[in-house]
Amino acid sequence: MESLDVLDKRVRELTASRFKEFEATLLRNKALYDRAAKLDKGREKLRREYLQSTGVNVAKLEAGWAKDARRQAKERQDFLEEFRPSAISRPDKSRGDAKEAAVRTAVLAESSHLVLPPFASSIFVGNAGAIVDAPPGDSGTGAINSGWVFPADPSHIRVTTSSQNDIACFLAVAGPPDPEFAVNFAFIPATTATYSMTAILAFHGFYVLRSDDSWWNCRHAEVKLSVQMNVHQYVDIGWQQFPALIDRNESNDDEVTTYDRTQFFDYTPVVLKAGDPVVVTVKGTLHAFARGSGAFAELNFNDGTANYIWPLFLSVQQV
């Protein structure tokens, strides 16, 4: 079998295995939410009875909450319509990324580094309907409508997530499943040796936080971008977790913030055997969650031409 076919087979096997892990997490989270929601049904009557026993006019209280919820929803919509479009339509930065990659590649090649482009990328989502422009035969569905896709161009990853839950503080709420992206670099070592590896990814996107917390509610919005890296030869050597690239949790905020960073991810030197395939994976998880009337959270590396994740290359060197 040709080397390219061997690497492709290994990448697909690893992706299938990791998608099963993604599905298992979805099913576990759904079971936890279903249990909490079931308990809420029994508690609702008790809450109403307690409020009435204290002399509270429950119908009037609920009418006030509903009125405030409508106002907050209108303010959220006005905010998004005013500020979100500029983050979507901003200028494309891919030309600058390409120049940076070319310069770094040339310098590393001169110093005997092996410089590898992305071999394949994948995206896992909790809602298969969120997958667009999937290459024929390179996408699929799984548990509770989850889905996966191999983008036709592994060098441009487009993924996004958002959340709004206009629900009272004391009710169970399920946030959207956190989508995952992964970029795989693959090679066959020519020499049994210790290798160090650095993956370089350019991130271009934006996040939205909108919440208006007050003493009688619990509105908040949060976004988080987490990245891990793994090396596989025969078995997984182990996931290495990096500090979160984005980690915001706000109770009172109105912001749309762009995020443009080129990030370097170094993996602990490992011994690799000559002649057998190696797959290096950089995996990212996007998290967005909002709770309360008018609250909203979004983490977006997808919309417009300027928002995407570009895995520039993997640098490999014997040490």
Side-chain angles (χ1 to χ4, degrees):
M1 187 180 292
E2 296 293 332
S3 296
L4 186 63
D5 293 334
V6 170
L7 295 174
D8 184 71
K9 181 173 182 292
R10 184 57 56 86
V11 167
R12 289 180 179 274
E13 289 172 346
L14 283 174
T15 300
S17 175
R18 289 167 182 166
F19 183 66
K20 289 181 179 179
E21 295 174 1
F22 178 79
E23 286 184 298
T25 299
L26 292 183
L27 290 169
R28 178 180 180 276
N29 290 341
K30 183 179 184 301
L32 291 173
Y33 168 73
D34 288 346
R35 181 177 183 278
K38 183 178 180 180
L39 291 174
D40 268 344
K41 290 182 180 179
R43 292 167 177 162
E44 176 63 18
K45 181 181 178 181
L46 294 176
R47 280 191 287 261
R48 295 179 66 90
E49 289 176 348
Y50 173 76
L51 288 172
Q52 289 171 343
S53 71
T54 62
V56 172
N57 186 324
V58 176
K60 188 174 182 180
L61 178 64
E62 291 176 340
W65 278 343
K67 182 179 179 180
D68 182 61
R70 290 191 295 271
R71 177 182 63 83
Q72 288 285 346
K74 176 65 166 56
E75 290 181 0
R76 173 178 59 207
Q77 186 64 27
D78 291 345
F79 170 76
L80 295 176
E81 290 178 357
E82 181 177 358
F83 295 104
R84 193 171 174 273
S86 61
I88 295 173
S89 61
R90 64 203 183 101
D92 186 358
K93 296 181 179 293
S94 58
R95 184 172 298 179
D97 289 336
K99 289 181 178 179
E100 179 181 359
V103 171
R104 294 186 185 278
T105 297
V107 172
L108 290 168
E110 288 181 5
S111 57
S112 301
H113 286 69
L114 176 63
V115 180
L116 300 170
F119 186 87
S121 59
S122 62
I123 298 171
F124 299 164
V125 295
N127 176 14
I131 297 176
V132 295
D133 299 328
D138 275 337
S139 63
T141 57
I144 55 175
N145 201 37
S146 59
W148 61 268
V149 63
F150 284 133
D153 181 0
S155 66
H156 269 63
I157 298 171
R158 294 184 175 274
V159 59
T160 184
T161 185
S162 63
S163 171
Q164 64 182 62
N165 292 286
D166 297 335
I167 295 176
C169 303
F170 45 79
L171 295 177
V173 59
D178 294 341
E180 293 182 2
F181 71 87
V183 54
N184 297 288
F185 303 91
F187 67 103
I188 297 177
T191 305
T192 298
T194 300
Y195 292 84
S196 66
M197 283 159 278
T198 300
I200 303 178
L201 279 69
F203 293 85
H204 299 293
F206 66 91
Y207 60 85
V208 181
L209 295 169
R210 202 270 169 182
S211 57
D212 181 19
D213 190 50
S214 299
W215 65 267
W216 67 87
N217 58 44
C218 56
R219 298 183 185 114
H220 76 278
E222 61 191 57
V223 292
K224 187 173 184 178
L225 174 61
S226 305
V227 176
Q228 303 176 70
M229 187 171 176
N230 200 353
V231 176
H232 180 100
Q233 188 182 50
Y234 316 118
V235 295
D236 281 344
I237 294 174
W239 289 103
Q240 185 164 308
Q241 180 78 49
F242 301 96
L245 304 185
I246 300 172
D247 192 1
R248 298 287 308 279
N249 189 329
E250 301 294 336
S251 296
N252 285 282
D253 201 11
D254 282 313
E255 67 172 292
V256 178
T257 300
T258 55
Y259 183 84
D260 297 293
R261 302 283 192 280
T262 298
Q263 301 285 356
F264 294 69
F265 304 102
D266 297 318
Y267 197 86
T268 302
V270 295
V271 177
L272 301 174
K273 187 176 183 299
D276 289 325
V278 173
V279 178
V280 180
T281 303
V282 179
K283 179 177 74 173
T285 302
L286 279 68
H287 172 77
F289 180 76
R291 181 174 192 140
S293 301
F296 183 81
E298 178 179 14
L299 184 53
N300 193 313
F301 294 94
N302 177 75
D303 292 351
T305 60
N307 299 301
Y308 54 86
I309 300 168
W310 187 348
L312 300 180
F313 57 82
L314 175 76
S315 169
V316 182
Q317 183 184 34
Q318 291 187 34
V319 295

